[in-house]
Amino acid sequence: MYQSFIGLEVHIHLLTKTKVFCACRSAFGDEPNTNVCPVCMGYPGVLPSLNLEAMRMGCTVARALNCRIPEKTWFERKQYFYPDMPKNYQISQFGSPLGQEGYVMLEGRNIKKQVRIKECHLEEDAGKMIHTGTVSLLDYNRAGVSLLEIVTEPDMETGEEAELFIQQLRRTVRYLGVCDGNMEEGSLRADANVSINLPGKGLGKKVEIKNLNSSRFVRLGLNYEIKRQGDLLDQAKTVTQETRLWNENRDQTEPMRTKENAQDYRYFPEPDLPVFTPDKAFLTSVEAALVELPAPRMKRFEQDYGLNREQAELICDEKALADYFEEAVAAAKAQGLDTRDGAGRIANWVLTDIKHILGREGLSSIGSFRLKPQWLATLVVMVARGQVSMKNGKQAMDRVIAEDREPEALIREAGWEQLSDPVQIGKVVEAVYRAEAAVFVQAQAARAEGNQKRQRSLSAYLVGRVLEQTGGRADPKIVGAQIELLIQTP
Ligand code: ADP
Ligand code: MG
Ligand code: ZN
């Protein structure tokens, strides 16, 4: 068998309001060629100036990936010609990128390994080419948009690991609020490099799969390549060093261009941009932007709230959801519920009913959800205390959302408070006892015969009748005990 090596180059669009070296609006989906100016159109003689917000966001990602921010960082011109790049060079970083020598821990099902980050560098995106029939159209709205490239060392071995890397990174940059992570719109895209070799022989000849716009394609493309390259070596053939593309209709990679040698981009320092020396205030603002990241947060949720791995992962997938959860847990605790008890209950509500409602209402994030975390806490506490049945509690939640009002009064007005007074329940049980005398006799007979299954189903029926009579308000535990007593002692 062969050893495989995978290194990723991931590009993310930073959520800066303006482009990286000019004041043009940075937005997806605007009318083509409306967000352009002489700077990003590459007119001669204009001066780029650095968007400090882009630098800060880039450095924040670098720090989240455990990279070192160098004392000085600067920009180079990377020269090449392509119609989507009107300057004929791209301003990028080469000699001293803003983030260097970091690492991340990949952690997932059956995967646990460290992946070294080679560097993070800030650059400008190119425009967009649209090919229609015999003409090609160019939209320069994207030219000059802030792009951060994250480059890993070739430390991954399988398509699954690379897929997990992309998923973790996507979650991280969304947590940091620096990228929307939308792979379909191209806000996060990856080039995947892969080679194989005999064990112990080091890196092989690398193939680059370009422009993967889904983490699934990253996995599929890489696993396809590992197999393809293995077949070639098995037949004593050699792997050509080249760039390939993933064809999602044929589920295979296909050659795009062969790169004999590394291209010579004639990098040289961008003369129009000064060297950037991060000062103390800048570095402090970077550290301040580092929120608790998804991985440690998941661990904390498991430890402090007693959630299982899957619950923690689902809740921590999105920062807003994790924040919402923690606010609800804190509110339930303030109302006297034990933290872990509350957390377990709230996790269940969030991951079933609330996810369902969000889906039904077409809300992609909990940010704009009308059910305040405090209100969810009140509902959960009332159920935990037996003040409202689970069923009525869930029904109340729908009304709370529809009417946008606090649950306690709503439950009282609707008459949904749980009935737990044994005397009051006893009266209803007695009425059912009279109306369903025949069933009681059958249940007693089943008990005498030792037919537990039949006895249970008959008593469940009787409990159901009592609940029905009380509009679902009677505490089923108390009802059950009273019915049982009547069956045992006729
Ligand atoms: P290039 O100069 O061709 O862009 P780099 O050294 O910048 O190459 O590496 C680009 C990416 O390719 C990095 O993520 C790196 O880890 C990966 N890579 C480099 N060499 C190999 C190899 N032989 N096999 C697999 N991945 C590789
Ligand atoms: Mg490279
Ligand atoms: Zn511009």
Side-chain angles (χ1 to χ4, degrees), residues 159-171:
E160 284 72 18
E161 288 176 4
E163 180 180 40
L164 182 61
F165 180 91
I166 300 283
Q167 289 167 343
Q168 283 190 192
L169 179 67
R170 179 172 179 277
R171 220 184 242 159

Side-chain angles (χ1 to χ4, degrees), residues 429 433 437 439-452 455-456 458-459 462 477-490:
V429 170
Y433 184 64
V439 182
F440 271 96
V441 172
Q442 287 174 27
Q444 283 151 2
R447 180 169 184 271
E449 286 162 23
N451 188 344
Q452 284 186 9
Q455 187 197 334
R456 238 179 285 136
L458 289 168
S459 66
L462 292 164
K477 272 196 234 113
I478 300 176
V479 176
Q482 293 195 2
I483 295 276
E484 218 45 50
L485 205 66
L486 281 174
I487 293 172
Q488 279 171 28
T489 52

Side-chain angles (χ1 to χ4, degrees), residues 19 22-24 35-41 143:
K19 294 183 178 182
C22 66
C24 289
N35 301 326
V36 292
C37 75
V39 176
C40 54
M41 293 298 289

Side-chain angles (χ1 to χ4, degrees), residues 13-28 30 35-36 51-57 141-147 177-179:
H13 269 163
L14 297 177
L15 284 171
T16 49
K17 288 192 187 64
T18 54
K19 294 183 178 182
V20 59
F21 300 119
C22 66
C24 289
R25 207 170 107 86
S26 175
F28 178 84
D30 282 0
N35 301 326
V36 292
N51 180 337
L52 199 63
E53 201 50 31
M55 181 57 90
R56 175 165 30 247
M57 287 184 180
N141 280 354
R142 205 178 65 184
V145 164
S146 337
L147 202 62
V178 300
C179 173

